[in-house]
């Protein structure tokens, strides 16, 4: 490339210089030092830390529950919110088991992703490396702290945790166990940092910590994710809305189509991989739609349907423009009748969220046209959209589903928490 | 992942809604429509467009030179600037040949990057896909417009070009040839858009075009890159400063070390992959450093040295703190004597720009320790840092060198202008 092209580092230095070094900046600097050690640590040490952290969680069970009671007592939030905040011996055991499962995963660091040799004998390989320091901003759901810290340790990253203010005591008790695990494995405990208190200024400080935090992962509701995406001066790995579509093409096997849409909508309605909108070809709707409506109604599903669908099943409620843009996360299915794959793709590009779409068809050419025609992170052919999940993909634990266009898309497991570098191995070559 | 996690799309919609739809937004929307066609177009059509664009550039040679004369006449800038702005028949021919070389590259779209089968029979594959709409903001260097448009067409992306205001006439004449190429291949000419005039507001509009522009590539000086990184609401692929180091370890072959540092510094001093700082082990500096200074002096190199180096070669000028942080892009070499690989890594982490570092040593363990110990995009063992180049990596044409931690790092060619999606191929599986 040409001369005169620079900037990145200088921007970083500048940003850091002009932002007052608050408590999170201090923690981030310590995390960065620890990250260098973690990045070169043997897989066995990181796995030992996860096992030890699991044991520490179990040992500290009483202390953690006590801390959680303090949080619960102080919380005046809704029941749903309080249920996510609440810890029980079972939930602590689940966190510990989760860490042990991560230890059993293969080491994502150091994988040779690509390797080739140039005519001049230079060997070039692309090697997986840790990201560095990952900032995780999450709501008052204490288990996220243990999951995120575990995934980061496994992938050789240091992590800066900022949990919801109502979970402060619980989060700090869990954090202590994670650090105990690192110490037991002779790894720097600074690799897992947590915000010292509930001050909201800590979030702003993390968003501006370019050069200190390499990646931000917001784990929470729309307002949190929006705020992070709007204000972050650091790359963000965001979990977007899951407005997923299942398209039943005219060449679909009817029994398969009924089985898939029932599962895609109703297996679990509250996860982002659940289907919100059914697109069905006009050619098969008259026979198939009434059966699907009956199938799902049996399980308590309600519907929002366009005019064409209501001509076939007049009892269906009307769908508004807004309904087709709504991620229900509930037992509600939008229905639109379309005339072929292109209309289906148009609908998805207008209302979709680039998360997961599925087509049911026996026609491979149409399936490929559909898969190539969306810009979604995951597309499925003859399968339920509810398969969009790190465990189902074989990634083990996941920190979420990414729907941005870069780095990680779809389920984000430990491999997706790594980046890469090129290693060029020579025997003294110089460039002509 | 859990419910309540969304945001991405809503942010995008919101951003677009609140930003007044100016001319660039209108162009970006047309580009996005064209991108859908380009993304599913056969490789042969995109290659045909590149060949036709090359021919159109040659046919329009007189018109392009005339437009360039207008720009040159109006320009009051420095000679170096005017030289980059200036077009000649040779430079137009080089642009055309560049496009034809891109056509000869393999299609980066649709590559199966990974593929595996789950126990339930689901086949999962990771497939390379175009990014979508790429915004390229560049200085008054008209050839960048042809290169960028060509690389985007090859990789199935639409592109929104905004060249330096002083090159407006040249840029528009080149743009016309690129669109002629698209038409000749029956591809939508909207896939290559250019800012209608030199209004600086167009840049701000591109930076805010979240949801319409998927990736911004600033091609220019530090101030441009800094501004884009600071204000962009869209992912940025930035070319960082190339403050590259070559570390000569005590176990280095002396002849190889001299050959490599001479090439790494002096082959071309103005490119970002040139070495700016030599780190040399105290154990070998007394014998090797005087020879290296002699080697490079012969080619007109001057030096900035730390105290330990000046004890060995007293005539060397003193290096300041600032010198070690300076990308000279000139025949100037910083020299620091270090005591082993860890001191070398400390120096690099303090002064480096995460671009390219090299080690010269016969000790493989030390080489691995060095390569694992930096967070640079490219690390070299026994080779010249000047090999950090798309052509040298075998990528063909490159749009630059990326030093961020995500998506593309190192040379950015057509493969690096793609992202991916997961395709899940089932036989009717539903999730338990």
């Amino acid at each position: 490339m040409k001369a005169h092209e620079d900037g990145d580092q200088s921007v970083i230095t500048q940003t850091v210089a002009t932002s007052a070094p608050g408590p999170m900046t201090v923690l981030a600097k310590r995390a960065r030092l620890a990250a260098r050690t973690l990045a070169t640590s043997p897989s066995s040490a990181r796995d030992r830390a996860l096992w030890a952290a699991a044991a520490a969680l179990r040992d500290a069970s009483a202390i953690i529950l006590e801390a959680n009671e303090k949080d619960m007592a102080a919380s005046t939030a809704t029941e749903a919110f309080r249920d996510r905040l609440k810890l029980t011996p079972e939930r602590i055991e689940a966190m510990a088991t989760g860490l042990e499962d991560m230890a059993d995963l293969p080491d994502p660091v150091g994988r040779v992703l690509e390797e080739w040799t140039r005519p001049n004998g230079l060997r070039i390989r692309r090697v997986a490396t840790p990201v560095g320091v990952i900032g995780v901003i999450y709501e008052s759901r204490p288990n996220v702290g243990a999951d995120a810290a575990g995934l980061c340790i496994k992938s050789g990253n240091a992590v800066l945790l900022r949990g919801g203010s109502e979970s402060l005591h619980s989060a700090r008790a869990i954090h202590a166990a994670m650090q105990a695990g690192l110490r037991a494995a002779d790894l720097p405990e600074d690799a897992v940092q947590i915000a010292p208190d509930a001050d909201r200024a800590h979030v702003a400080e993390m968003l501006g910590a370019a050069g200190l935090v390499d990646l931000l992962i917001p784990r929470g509701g729309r307002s949190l994710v929006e705020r992070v995406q709007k204000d972050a001066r650091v790359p963000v790995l965001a979990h977007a809305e899951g407005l997923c579509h299942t398209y039943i093409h005219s060449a679909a096997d009817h029994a398969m189509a009924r089985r898939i849409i029932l599962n895609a909508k109703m297996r679990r309605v509250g996860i982002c991989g659940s289907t919100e909108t059914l697109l069905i070809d006009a050619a098969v709707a008259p026979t198939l739609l009434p059966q699907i409506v009956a199938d799902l109604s049996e399980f308590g599903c309600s519907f929002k349907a366009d005019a064409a669908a209501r001509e076939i099943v007049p009892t269906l409620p009307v769908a508004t423009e807004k309904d087709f843009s709504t991620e229900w996360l509930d037992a509600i299915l939008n229905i639109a009748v379309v005339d072929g794959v292109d209309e289906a793709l148009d609908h998805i590009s207008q209302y979709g969220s680039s998360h997961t779409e599925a087509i049911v068809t026996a026609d491979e050419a149409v399936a490929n046209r559909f898969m190539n025609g969306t810009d979604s992170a995951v597309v499925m052919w003859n399968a339920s959209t509810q398969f969009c999940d790190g465990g189902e993909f074989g990634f083990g634990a996941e920190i979420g589903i990414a729907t941005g266009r870069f780095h990680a898309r779809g389920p984000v497991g430990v491999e997706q928490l790594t980046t890469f570098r090129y290693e060029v191995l020579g025997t003294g070559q110089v460039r002509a």
Side-chain angles (χ1 to χ4, degrees), chain A residues 38 41 45-47 49-50 53 99 102 107-109 146-159 178-179 181-182 187 191-192 414 417:
Chain A
L38 215 63
S41 65
R46 283 173 273 128
D47 292 342
L50 292 170
L99 295 175
M102 293 174 201
D107 185 9
V109 178
D147 295 352
L151 289 165
C152 286
I153 291 170
K154 177 71 185 190
S155 51
N157 294 294
V159 63
M178 299 307 299
Q179 287 200 320
L182 287 163
L187 290 174
V192 178
V414 290
L417 292 180

PDB file of all heavy atoms in Angstrom, chain A residues 38 41 45-47 49-50 53 99 102 107-109 146-159 178-179 181-182 187 191-192 414 417:
ATOM      1  N   LEU A  38      -2.050 -14.394  29.320  1.00  0.00           N
ATOM      2  CA  LEU A  38      -3.073 -15.390  28.992  1.00  0.00           C
ATOM      3  C   LEU A  38      -2.935 -15.853  27.541  1.00  0.00           C
ATOM      4  O   LEU A  38      -3.092 -17.033  27.223  1.00  0.00           O
ATOM      5  CB  LEU A  38      -4.464 -14.796  29.238  1.00  0.00           C
ATOM      6  CG  LEU A  38      -5.526 -15.764  29.765  1.00  0.00           C
ATOM      7  CD1 LEU A  38      -5.114 -16.279  31.136  1.00  0.00           C
ATOM      8  CD2 LEU A  38      -6.885 -15.093  29.843  1.00  0.00           C
ATOM      9  N   SER A  41      -0.431 -18.470  27.305  1.00  0.00           N
ATOM     10  CA  SER A  41      -0.508 -19.533  28.316  1.00  0.00           C
ATOM     11  C   SER A  41      -0.906 -20.849  27.653  1.00  0.00           C
ATOM     12  O   SER A  41      -1.645 -20.863  26.667  1.00  0.00           O
ATOM     13  CB  SER A  41      -1.556 -19.170  29.377  1.00  0.00           C
ATOM     14  OG  SER A  41      -2.847 -19.123  28.781  1.00  0.00           O
ATOM     15  N   ALA A  45      -3.314 -24.783  31.266  1.00  0.00           N
ATOM     16  CA  ALA A  45      -3.447 -23.831  32.377  1.00  0.00           C
ATOM     17  C   ALA A  45      -4.816 -23.172  32.351  1.00  0.00           C
ATOM     18  O   ALA A  45      -5.484 -23.037  33.383  1.00  0.00           O
ATOM     19  CB  ALA A  45      -2.343 -22.780  32.283  1.00  0.00           C
ATOM     20  N   ARG A  46      -5.267 -22.783  31.148  1.00  0.00           N
ATOM     21  CA  ARG A  46      -6.590 -22.133  31.059  1.00  0.00           C
ATOM     22  C   ARG A  46      -7.697 -23.109  31.464  1.00  0.00           C
ATOM     23  O   ARG A  46      -8.651 -22.736  32.153  1.00  0.00           O
ATOM     24  CB  ARG A  46      -6.810 -21.583  29.656  1.00  0.00           C
ATOM     25  CG  ARG A  46      -6.051 -20.278  29.396  1.00  0.00           C
ATOM     26  CD  ARG A  46      -6.124 -19.826  27.951  1.00  0.00           C
ATOM     27  NE  ARG A  46      -5.083 -20.425  27.128  1.00  0.00           N
ATOM     28  CZ  ARG A  46      -5.295 -21.073  25.970  1.00  0.00           C
ATOM     29  NH1 ARG A  46      -6.528 -21.202  25.518  1.00  0.00           N
ATOM     30  NH2 ARG A  46      -4.298 -21.582  25.301  1.00  0.00           N
ATOM     31  N   ASP A  47      -7.546 -24.391  31.048  1.00  0.00           N
ATOM     32  CA  ASP A  47      -8.555 -25.378  31.438  1.00  0.00           C
ATOM     33  C   ASP A  47      -8.523 -25.612  32.950  1.00  0.00           C
ATOM     34  O   ASP A  47      -9.567 -25.726  33.598  1.00  0.00           O
ATOM     35  CB  ASP A  47      -8.318 -26.695  30.688  1.00  0.00           C
ATOM     36  CG  ASP A  47      -8.586 -26.552  29.187  1.00  0.00           C
ATOM     37  OD1 ASP A  47      -9.263 -25.574  28.805  1.00  0.00           O
ATOM     38  OD2 ASP A  47      -8.094 -27.386  28.413  1.00  0.00           O
ATOM     39  N   ALA A  49      -7.750 -23.461  35.154  1.00  0.00           N
ATOM     40  CA  ALA A  49      -8.406 -22.306  35.771  1.00  0.00           C
ATOM     41  C   ALA A  49      -9.926 -22.469  35.755  1.00  0.00           C
ATOM     42  O   ALA A  49     -10.615 -22.122  36.725  1.00  0.00           O
ATOM     43  CB  ALA A  49      -7.997 -21.030  35.043  1.00  0.00           C
ATOM     44  N   LEU A  50     -10.460 -23.029  34.657  1.00  0.00           N
ATOM     45  CA  LEU A  50     -11.910 -23.212  34.561  1.00  0.00           C
ATOM     46  C   LEU A  50     -12.396 -24.253  35.574  1.00  0.00           C
ATOM     47  O   LEU A  50     -13.405 -24.064  36.256  1.00  0.00           O
ATOM     48  CB  LEU A  50     -12.292 -23.618  33.137  1.00  0.00           C
ATOM     49  CG  LEU A  50     -12.089 -22.530  32.071  1.00  0.00           C
ATOM     50  CD1 LEU A  50     -12.257 -23.093  30.670  1.00  0.00           C
ATOM     51  CD2 LEU A  50     -13.061 -21.378  32.296  1.00  0.00           C
ATOM     52  N   ALA A  53     -12.199 -22.665  38.957  1.00  0.00           N
ATOM     53  CA  ALA A  53     -13.261 -21.659  39.140  1.00  0.00           C
ATOM     54  C   ALA A  53     -14.591 -22.360  39.438  1.00  0.00           C
ATOM     55  O   ALA A  53     -15.373 -21.897  40.276  1.00  0.00           O
ATOM     56  CB  ALA A  53     -13.369 -20.784  37.902  1.00  0.00           C
ATOM     57  N   LEU A  99     -18.729 -24.100  33.229  1.00  0.00           N
ATOM     58  CA  LEU A  99     -17.285 -23.847  33.155  1.00  0.00           C
ATOM     59  C   LEU A  99     -16.532 -25.143  32.869  1.00  0.00           C
ATOM     60  O   LEU A  99     -15.587 -25.171  32.067  1.00  0.00           O
ATOM     61  CB  LEU A  99     -16.794 -23.223  34.462  1.00  0.00           C
ATOM     62  CG  LEU A  99     -17.342 -21.833  34.794  1.00  0.00           C
ATOM     63  CD1 LEU A  99     -16.868 -21.383  36.171  1.00  0.00           C
ATOM     64  CD2 LEU A  99     -16.922 -20.821  33.723  1.00  0.00           C
ATOM     65  N   MET A 102     -16.752 -25.986  29.295  1.00  0.00           N
ATOM     66  CA  MET A 102     -15.842 -25.171  28.469  1.00  0.00           C
ATOM     67  C   MET A 102     -14.429 -25.743  28.506  1.00  0.00           C
ATOM     68  O   MET A 102     -13.730 -25.775  27.500  1.00  0.00           O
ATOM     69  CB  MET A 102     -15.812 -23.726  28.980  1.00  0.00           C
ATOM     70  CG  MET A 102     -17.119 -22.975  28.801  1.00  0.00           C
ATOM     71  SD  MET A 102     -17.018 -21.344  29.598  1.00  0.00           S
ATOM     72  CE  MET A 102     -18.767 -20.989  29.811  1.00  0.00           C
ATOM     73  N   ASP A 107      -8.841 -26.367  22.408  1.00  0.00           N
ATOM     74  CA  ASP A 107      -8.267 -25.026  22.523  1.00  0.00           C
ATOM     75  C   ASP A 107      -8.483 -24.250  21.212  1.00  0.00           C
ATOM     76  O   ASP A 107      -8.024 -24.686  20.155  1.00  0.00           O
ATOM     77  CB  ASP A 107      -6.768 -25.128  22.827  1.00  0.00           C
ATOM     78  CG  ASP A 107      -6.135 -23.762  23.082  1.00  0.00           C
ATOM     79  OD1 ASP A 107      -6.891 -22.774  23.189  1.00  0.00           O
ATOM     80  OD2 ASP A 107      -4.895 -23.706  23.173  1.00  0.00           O
ATOM     81  N   PRO A 108      -9.187 -23.120  21.269  1.00  0.00           N
ATOM     82  CA  PRO A 108      -9.406 -22.364  20.027  1.00  0.00           C
ATOM     83  C   PRO A 108      -8.184 -21.541  19.608  1.00  0.00           C
ATOM     84  O   PRO A 108      -8.118 -21.074  18.478  1.00  0.00           O
ATOM     85  CB  PRO A 108     -10.569 -21.437  20.393  1.00  0.00           C
ATOM     86  CG  PRO A 108     -10.426 -21.219  21.865  1.00  0.00           C
ATOM     87  CD  PRO A 108      -9.871 -22.509  22.419  1.00  0.00           C
ATOM     88  N   VAL A 109      -7.211 -21.385  20.511  1.00  0.00           N
ATOM     89  CA  VAL A 109      -6.045 -20.530  20.238  1.00  0.00           C
ATOM     90  C   VAL A 109      -4.957 -21.339  19.527  1.00  0.00           C
ATOM     91  O   VAL A 109      -4.703 -22.493  19.886  1.00  0.00           O
ATOM     92  CB  VAL A 109      -5.484 -19.942  21.547  1.00  0.00           C
ATOM     93  CG1 VAL A 109      -4.246 -19.087  21.276  1.00  0.00           C
ATOM     94  CG2 VAL A 109      -6.551 -19.125  22.260  1.00  0.00           C
ATOM     95  N   ALA A 146     -20.323 -15.345  34.907  1.00  0.00           N
ATOM     96  CA  ALA A 146     -19.528 -16.578  34.946  1.00  0.00           C
ATOM     97  C   ALA A 146     -19.341 -17.139  33.538  1.00  0.00           C
ATOM     98  O   ALA A 146     -18.228 -17.511  33.143  1.00  0.00           O
ATOM     99  CB  ALA A 146     -20.209 -17.612  35.836  1.00  0.00           C
ATOM    100  N   ASP A 147     -20.424 -17.168  32.751  1.00  0.00           N
ATOM    101  CA  ASP A 147     -20.326 -17.678  31.373  1.00  0.00           C
ATOM    102  C   ASP A 147     -19.323 -16.864  30.560  1.00  0.00           C
ATOM    103  O   ASP A 147     -18.428 -17.413  29.924  1.00  0.00           O
ATOM    104  CB  ASP A 147     -21.699 -17.603  30.669  1.00  0.00           C
ATOM    105  CG  ASP A 147     -22.724 -18.530  31.310  1.00  0.00           C
ATOM    106  OD1 ASP A 147     -22.342 -19.327  32.187  1.00  0.00           O
ATOM    107  OD2 ASP A 147     -23.909 -18.414  30.944  1.00  0.00           O
ATOM    108  N   ALA A 148     -19.464 -15.549  30.613  1.00  0.00           N
ATOM    109  CA  ALA A 148     -18.604 -14.674  29.808  1.00  0.00           C
ATOM    110  C   ALA A 148     -17.152 -14.803  30.244  1.00  0.00           C
ATOM    111  O   ALA A 148     -16.250 -14.943  29.404  1.00  0.00           O
ATOM    112  CB  ALA A 148     -19.073 -13.227  29.926  1.00  0.00           C
ATOM    113  N   ALA A 149     -16.908 -14.798  31.556  1.00  0.00           N
ATOM    114  CA  ALA A 149     -15.535 -14.922  32.044  1.00  0.00           C
ATOM    115  C   ALA A 149     -14.946 -16.264  31.620  1.00  0.00           C
ATOM    116  O   ALA A 149     -13.801 -16.347  31.167  1.00  0.00           O
ATOM    117  CB  ALA A 149     -15.508 -14.775  33.558  1.00  0.00           C
ATOM    118  N   GLY A 150     -15.741 -17.318  31.718  1.00  0.00           N
ATOM    119  CA  GLY A 150     -15.251 -18.647  31.336  1.00  0.00           C
ATOM    120  C   GLY A 150     -14.899 -18.713  29.860  1.00  0.00           C
ATOM    121  O   GLY A 150     -13.830 -19.209  29.480  1.00  0.00           O
ATOM    122  N   LEU A 151     -15.793 -18.195  29.009  1.00  0.00           N
ATOM    123  CA  LEU A 151     -15.534 -18.223  27.564  1.00  0.00           C
ATOM    124  C   LEU A 151     -14.284 -17.420  27.220  1.00  0.00           C
ATOM    125  O   LEU A 151     -13.494 -17.808  26.355  1.00  0.00           O
ATOM    126  CB  LEU A 151     -16.747 -17.689  26.804  1.00  0.00           C
ATOM    127  CG  LEU A 151     -17.984 -18.589  26.789  1.00  0.00           C
ATOM    128  CD1 LEU A 151     -19.226 -17.819  26.334  1.00  0.00           C
ATOM    129  CD2 LEU A 151     -17.762 -19.810  25.903  1.00  0.00           C
ATOM    130  N   CYS A 152     -14.097 -16.308  27.918  1.00  0.00           N
ATOM    131  CA  CYS A 152     -12.916 -15.474  27.634  1.00  0.00           C
ATOM    132  C   CYS A 152     -11.641 -16.162  28.097  1.00  0.00           C
ATOM    133  O   CYS A 152     -10.646 -16.199  27.372  1.00  0.00           O
ATOM    134  CB  CYS A 152     -13.073 -14.106  28.300  1.00  0.00           C
ATOM    135  SG  CYS A 152     -14.273 -13.055  27.455  1.00  0.00           S
ATOM    136  N   ILE A 153     -11.648 -16.761  29.286  1.00  0.00           N
ATOM    137  CA  ILE A 153     -10.457 -17.480  29.769  1.00  0.00           C
ATOM    138  C   ILE A 153     -10.117 -18.597  28.789  1.00  0.00           C
ATOM    139  O   ILE A 153      -8.966 -18.755  28.371  1.00  0.00           O
ATOM    140  CB  ILE A 153     -10.703 -18.050  31.183  1.00  0.00           C
ATOM    141  CG1 ILE A 153     -10.793 -16.919  32.205  1.00  0.00           C
ATOM    142  CG2 ILE A 153      -9.600 -19.046  31.562  1.00  0.00           C
ATOM    143  CD1 ILE A 153     -11.278 -17.370  33.583  1.00  0.00           C
ATOM    144  N   LYS A 154     -11.130 -19.365  28.383  1.00  0.00           N
ATOM    145  CA  LYS A 154     -10.889 -20.494  27.468  1.00  0.00           C
ATOM    146  C   LYS A 154     -10.240 -20.008  26.175  1.00  0.00           C
ATOM    147  O   LYS A 154      -9.346 -20.657  25.628  1.00  0.00           O
ATOM    148  CB  LYS A 154     -12.218 -21.193  27.147  1.00  0.00           C
ATOM    149  CG  LYS A 154     -12.100 -22.348  26.155  1.00  0.00           C
ATOM    150  CD  LYS A 154     -11.398 -23.543  26.799  1.00  0.00           C
ATOM    151  CE  LYS A 154     -11.166 -24.654  25.781  1.00  0.00           C
ATOM    152  NZ  LYS A 154     -10.709 -25.903  26.428  1.00  0.00           N
ATOM    153  N   SER A 155     -10.678 -18.846  25.690  1.00  0.00           N
ATOM    154  CA  SER A 155     -10.169 -18.341  24.407  1.00  0.00           C
ATOM    155  C   SER A 155      -8.966 -17.416  24.583  1.00  0.00           C
ATOM    156  O   SER A 155      -8.572 -16.725  23.649  1.00  0.00           O
ATOM    157  CB  SER A 155     -11.303 -17.623  23.661  1.00  0.00           C
ATOM    158  OG  SER A 155     -11.934 -16.673  24.495  1.00  0.00           O
ATOM    159  N   GLY A 156      -8.382 -17.391  25.781  1.00  0.00           N
ATOM    160  CA  GLY A 156      -7.140 -16.643  25.993  1.00  0.00           C
ATOM    161  C   GLY A 156      -7.308 -15.140  26.084  1.00  0.00           C
ATOM    162  O   GLY A 156      -6.342 -14.398  25.948  1.00  0.00           O
ATOM    163  N   ASN A 157      -8.540 -14.687  26.319  1.00  0.00           N
ATOM    164  CA  ASN A 157      -8.810 -13.262  26.419  1.00  0.00           C
ATOM    165  C   ASN A 157      -8.958 -12.823  27.869  1.00  0.00           C
ATOM    166  O   ASN A 157      -9.431 -13.588  28.702  1.00  0.00           O
ATOM    167  CB  ASN A 157     -10.126 -12.922  25.695  1.00  0.00           C
ATOM    168  CG  ASN A 157     -10.041 -13.146  24.200  1.00  0.00           C
ATOM    169  OD1 ASN A 157      -9.295 -12.461  23.508  1.00  0.00           O
ATOM    170  ND2 ASN A 157     -10.764 -14.150  23.713  1.00  0.00           N
ATOM    171  N   ALA A 158      -8.542 -11.591  28.146  1.00  0.00           N
ATOM    172  CA  ALA A 158      -8.907 -10.975  29.413  1.00  0.00           C
ATOM    173  C   ALA A 158     -10.290 -10.361  29.242  1.00  0.00           C
ATOM    174  O   ALA A 158     -10.695 -10.055  28.122  1.00  0.00           O
ATOM    175  CB  ALA A 158      -7.895  -9.902  29.807  1.00  0.00           C
ATOM    176  N   VAL A 159     -11.013 -10.210  30.352  1.00  0.00           N
ATOM    177  CA  VAL A 159     -12.380  -9.711  30.251  1.00  0.00           C
ATOM    178  C   VAL A 159     -12.635  -8.656  31.319  1.00  0.00           C
ATOM    179  O   VAL A 159     -12.113  -8.730  32.434  1.00  0.00           O
ATOM    180  CB  VAL A 159     -13.408 -10.869  30.360  1.00  0.00           C
ATOM    181  CG1 VAL A 159     -13.326 -11.541  31.727  1.00  0.00           C
ATOM    182  CG2 VAL A 159     -14.832 -10.352  30.108  1.00  0.00           C
ATOM    183  N   MET A 178     -14.098 -16.636  40.078  1.00  0.00           N
ATOM    184  CA  MET A 178     -13.373 -16.725  38.801  1.00  0.00           C
ATOM    185  C   MET A 178     -11.896 -16.376  39.017  1.00  0.00           C
ATOM    186  O   MET A 178     -11.004 -17.035  38.484  1.00  0.00           O
ATOM    187  CB  MET A 178     -13.991 -15.781  37.761  1.00  0.00           C
ATOM    188  CG  MET A 178     -15.456 -16.057  37.402  1.00  0.00           C
ATOM    189  SD  MET A 178     -15.800 -17.755  36.900  1.00  0.00           S
ATOM    190  CE  MET A 178     -14.740 -17.896  35.459  1.00  0.00           C
ATOM    191  N   GLN A 179     -11.645 -15.347  39.835  1.00  0.00           N
ATOM    192  CA  GLN A 179     -10.245 -14.981  40.092  1.00  0.00           C
ATOM    193  C   GLN A 179      -9.538 -16.073  40.883  1.00  0.00           C
ATOM    194  O   GLN A 179      -8.362 -16.362  40.637  1.00  0.00           O
ATOM    195  CB  GLN A 179     -10.192 -13.640  40.838  1.00  0.00           C
ATOM    196  CG  GLN A 179     -10.534 -12.456  39.949  1.00  0.00           C
ATOM    197  CD  GLN A 179     -10.026 -11.141  40.499  1.00  0.00           C
ATOM    198  OE1 GLN A 179     -10.087 -10.893  41.695  1.00  0.00           O
ATOM    199  NE2 GLN A 179      -9.500 -10.298  39.612  1.00  0.00           N
ATOM    200  N   GLY A 181     -10.040 -19.170  40.578  1.00  0.00           N
ATOM    201  CA  GLY A 181      -9.693 -20.190  39.580  1.00  0.00           C
ATOM    202  C   GLY A 181      -8.411 -19.825  38.837  1.00  0.00           C
ATOM    203  O   GLY A 181      -7.537 -20.675  38.639  1.00  0.00           O
ATOM    204  N   LEU A 182      -8.286 -18.556  38.467  1.00  0.00           N
ATOM    205  CA  LEU A 182      -7.075 -18.109  37.756  1.00  0.00           C
ATOM    206  C   LEU A 182      -5.845 -18.277  38.639  1.00  0.00           C
ATOM    207  O   LEU A 182      -4.819 -18.815  38.209  1.00  0.00           O
ATOM    208  CB  LEU A 182      -7.227 -16.643  37.330  1.00  0.00           C
ATOM    209  CG  LEU A 182      -8.188 -16.376  36.169  1.00  0.00           C
ATOM    210  CD1 LEU A 182      -8.565 -14.904  36.105  1.00  0.00           C
ATOM    211  CD2 LEU A 182      -7.581 -16.837  34.848  1.00  0.00           C
ATOM    212  N   LEU A 187      -2.385 -18.307  36.781  1.00  0.00           N
ATOM    213  CA  LEU A 187      -2.641 -17.300  35.739  1.00  0.00           C
ATOM    214  C   LEU A 187      -2.994 -15.990  36.438  1.00  0.00           C
ATOM    215  O   LEU A 187      -3.506 -16.001  37.558  1.00  0.00           O
ATOM    216  CB  LEU A 187      -3.784 -17.754  34.824  1.00  0.00           C
ATOM    217  CG  LEU A 187      -3.471 -18.938  33.906  1.00  0.00           C
ATOM    218  CD1 LEU A 187      -4.722 -19.387  33.152  1.00  0.00           C
ATOM    219  CD2 LEU A 187      -2.348 -18.592  32.933  1.00  0.00           C
ATOM    220  N   ALA A 191      -6.839 -11.004  34.780  1.00  0.00           N
ATOM    221  CA  ALA A 191      -7.451 -11.344  33.491  1.00  0.00           C
ATOM    222  C   ALA A 191      -8.970 -11.273  33.546  1.00  0.00           C
ATOM    223  O   ALA A 191      -9.627 -11.210  32.513  1.00  0.00           O
ATOM    224  CB  ALA A 191      -7.011 -12.742  33.051  1.00  0.00           C
ATOM    225  N   VAL A 192      -9.550 -11.303  34.754  1.00  0.00           N
ATOM    226  CA  VAL A 192     -11.000 -11.122  34.889  1.00  0.00           C
ATOM    227  C   VAL A 192     -11.239  -9.945  35.823  1.00  0.00           C
ATOM    228  O   VAL A 192     -10.967 -10.031  37.022  1.00  0.00           O
ATOM    229  CB  VAL A 192     -11.691 -12.389  35.432  1.00  0.00           C
ATOM    230  CG1 VAL A 192     -13.195 -12.130  35.615  1.00  0.00           C
ATOM    231  CG2 VAL A 192     -11.494 -13.567  34.479  1.00  0.00           C
ATOM    232  N   VAL A 414     -16.331 -20.145  21.658  1.00  0.00           N
ATOM    233  CA  VAL A 414     -14.943 -19.758  21.970  1.00  0.00           C
ATOM    234  C   VAL A 414     -14.130 -19.490  20.697  1.00  0.00           C
ATOM    235  O   VAL A 414     -13.287 -18.599  20.673  1.00  0.00           O
ATOM    236  CB  VAL A 414     -14.241 -20.827  22.843  1.00  0.00           C
ATOM    237  CG1 VAL A 414     -14.850 -20.816  24.238  1.00  0.00           C
ATOM    238  CG2 VAL A 414     -14.307 -22.205  22.224  1.00  0.00           C
ATOM    239  N   LEU A 417     -14.473 -16.063  19.581  1.00  0.00           N
ATOM    240  CA  LEU A 417     -13.839 -15.051  20.447  1.00  0.00           C
ATOM    241  C   LEU A 417     -12.339 -14.953  20.161  1.00  0.00           C
ATOM    242  O   LEU A 417     -11.587 -14.378  20.937  1.00  0.00           O
ATOM    243  CB  LEU A 417     -14.096 -15.373  21.919  1.00  0.00           C
ATOM    244  CG  LEU A 417     -15.553 -15.232  22.363  1.00  0.00           C
ATOM    245  CD1 LEU A 417     -15.709 -15.580  23.845  1.00  0.00           C
ATOM    246  CD2 LEU A 417     -16.080 -13.824  22.098  1.00  0.00           C
TER     247      LEU A 417
END
